[in-house]
Amino acid sequence: MLGRSRKIAIGSKIQYIPHVEHVPNMEYCMHAPALQRGIELIRRLQDGNPRTLEALARECALPKSSLLRLLTTLEQSFVVRRDPITKDYVAIASLMPIHGPENRRSIQVSDALTRLSSLWGHTAEWWVPGGDGLSISDRKEPENTEVRVIARIGYTRGWNGELDAIALLARGHIKPDGVKLSGNWEHAEGGQQRALNQRECLEKVEKVQRQGWAADVHYNPNGVRRIASAVVHEGELLGVIALAMSYSPRLSSSEDRMMKSLEEEKTRILSC
């Protein structure tokens, strides 16, 4: 509601400025209402609870057609992810204050990935936990190197299925509600899948719980394997820092030094 105007002097001129007592709709003062809706959508989804299009439409009081356009844009920008089976949407990125501790850690992670990729000539990744598993939220690629790692920001390793280094660290520190450790497999020599029974799965999970890191034994069909370390603060898994390595016959001799580098960067991340 616009109330009485007040007059102020600017130089030698008098201008009348309307007095705003109440604005019932925030979009009244928004120059870009679509942007404001998108930001509000991210805020709602970043609580980690998956939602359907219909549920979001009720929460946001928006037409489903408008909401779908926003969600599609956010998905293409790797901010939200849509589960192809349940059709639920979940955030894979979040808004944070520039000077908050979360942002300082994000900067520290980015710097750590840059150092690791530069030092070892491999893709460095940061995986964060979410409702569907662990997702890549940041990655750095070495300069002047042909990158052959397919997984990009937003890619998710689910709770079950392939039990690689990333999935092992996730299951070693998080026990998602209603998800059993079953139907798992690993890559064997030559990239073939080898089914894992319950006992094998539990033994592998218990091992990474004790040591805090994991490494793929064999390369996947894309010629990539990972060595990774869990970043844990006060019992909570903040993320997993990893080196994704394309095939190299000289790699095994460097693994111990790579793990030492990961541990050093983990210490830096936790110090912020």
Side-chain angles (χ1 to χ4, degrees), residues 141-156:
E141 299 169 354
E143 294 182 3
N144 304 319
T145 301
E146 182 182 352
V147 177
R148 293 182 294 274
V149 179
I150 296 175
R152 294 292 187 263
I153 292 175
Y155 177 80
T156 299

Side-chain angles (χ1 to χ4, degrees), residues 45 49-53 56 71 75 80-92 130-133 135 154 156-160 179:
L45 286 171
N49 296 320
R51 293 172 174 81
T52 63
L53 176 65
L56 284 168
L71 288 165
E75 188 176 13
V80 305
R81 177 179 178 271
R82 179 176 181 266
D83 189 295
I85 299 176
T86 65
K87 314 299 183 186
D88 289 346
Y89 290 90
V90 66
I92 55 176
D132 298 326
S135 301
T156 299
R157 172 73 72 231
W159 296 119
N160 281 321
V179 180

Side-chain angles (χ1 to χ4, degrees), residues 163-165 168 186-190 204 207 214-220 224-227 245 251-252 255:
L163 204 59
D164 65 350
L168 279 170
E186 66 178 3
H187 286 296
E189 191 172 359
K204 288 177 176 292
K207 181 180 178 181
D216 296 333
V217 177
H218 300 289
Y219 290 92
N220 64 28
V224 174
R225 69 187 183 100
R226 291 175 170 84
I227 184 169
M245 305 164 287
L251 189 58
S252 58
E255 274 196 9

Side-chain angles (χ1 to χ4, degrees), residues 117-176:
S117 63
S118 177
L119 177 62
W120 294 107
H122 297 296
T123 301
E125 303 168 332
W126 177 246
W127 298 70
V128 295
D132 298 326
L134 259 66
S135 301
I136 300 176
S137 70
D138 197 1
R139 74 196 297 267
K140 294 292 186 293
E141 299 169 354
E143 294 182 3
N144 304 319
T145 301
E146 182 182 352
V147 177
R148 293 182 294 274
V149 179
I150 296 175
R152 294 292 187 263
I153 292 175
Y155 177 80
T156 299
R157 172 73 72 231
W159 296 119
N160 281 321
E162 182 182 354
L163 204 59
D164 65 350
I166 304 301
L168 279 170
L169 288 167
R171 293 308 299 260
H173 293 84
I174 299 176
K175 294 178 174 57

